[in-house]
Amino acid sequence: MAKPKVATTSLCGCFGCHMSLLDIDERILQLVELVDFDRSPINDIKHIEGPVEIGLVEGGCCNEENVKVLQEFRQHCRILISVGDCAINGGIPALRNMVPLRECFEEAYLHGPTVDNPSGRIPDDEEIPLLLDRVVPCHEAVKIDYHLPGCPPSA
């Protein structure tokens, strides 16, 4: 019998949930006996080769690329689980929701106390993913089957 496939990704967050997963230490060797990792920073695979039994998503959605990755996960994962407080409710990144996006850009690139930007230009390269007006938890972008709370959840 084939082992179930698991895919993981980190969106807008601190990567702490993946670090918590790695905190299982040598038990990760037992885990890889039970499941195959598809896309994951653990094995550095960048895209789901699908279909996948379980998808684990940490972090919320702060930009268009986050939404695209989350939609890809929903499409390929039979069960999708939001892991950690950022994925479930936006977490610390959602604090920017209290300030208009334009003000965030101006503070970060023009008026911040450590800013050295003689051109006075806010970066707008087409390769930089466009920020959403607000950071949203995963369940506001796609259907999520289960939530695993914590900041981060324990190993």
Side-chain angles (χ1 to χ4, degrees), residues 6-10 18 21 37-42 45 54-57 73:
V6 174
T8 71
T9 193
S10 182
H18 273 90
L21 174 63
F37 280 98
D38 194 292
R39 176 194 165 139
S40 175
I42 293 169
I45 294 175
I54 298 172
L56 303 171
V57 179
F73 264 66

Side-chain angles (χ1 to χ4, degrees), residues 27-111:
R27 290 177 292 164
I28 200 159
L29 298 174
Q30 295 169 329
L31 180 61
V32 297
E33 293 296 322
L34 301 173
V35 301
D36 282 328
F37 280 98
D38 194 292
R39 176 194 165 139
S40 175
I42 293 169
N43 57 14
D44 204 29
I45 294 175
K46 305 292 189 211
H47 297 282
I48 289 182
E49 297 174 7
V52 174
E53 189 67 22
I54 298 172
L56 303 171
V57 179
E58 80 166 279
C61 295
C62 76
N63 63 43
E64 289 180 343
E65 182 179 335
N66 294 154
V67 173
K68 181 180 173 186
V69 168
L70 187 57
Q71 289 171 339
E72 175 189 32
F73 264 66
R74 178 71 277 173
Q75 179 182 357
H76 294 287
C77 298
R78 190 177 78 74
I79 297 170
L80 191 57
I81 303 170
S82 56
V83 178
D85 293 346
C86 293
I88 293 170
N89 63 29
I92 298 293
L95 289 174
R96 86 157 161 91
N97 293 348
M98 297 184 289
V99 180
L101 190 54
R102 183 76 191 162
E103 287 182 37
C104 289
F105 281 134
E106 289 173 356
E107 181 66 19
Y109 296 108
L110 303 176
H111 309 304

Side-chain angles (χ1 to χ4, degrees), residues 3 16-17 26 29 32 46 49 59 82 94 114 117 125 130 138:
K3 296 188 284 187
C17 296
E26 69 277 354
L29 298 174
V32 297
K46 305 292 189 211
E49 297 174 7
S82 56
T114 60
N117 182 359
D125 190 281
L130 290 175
C138 294

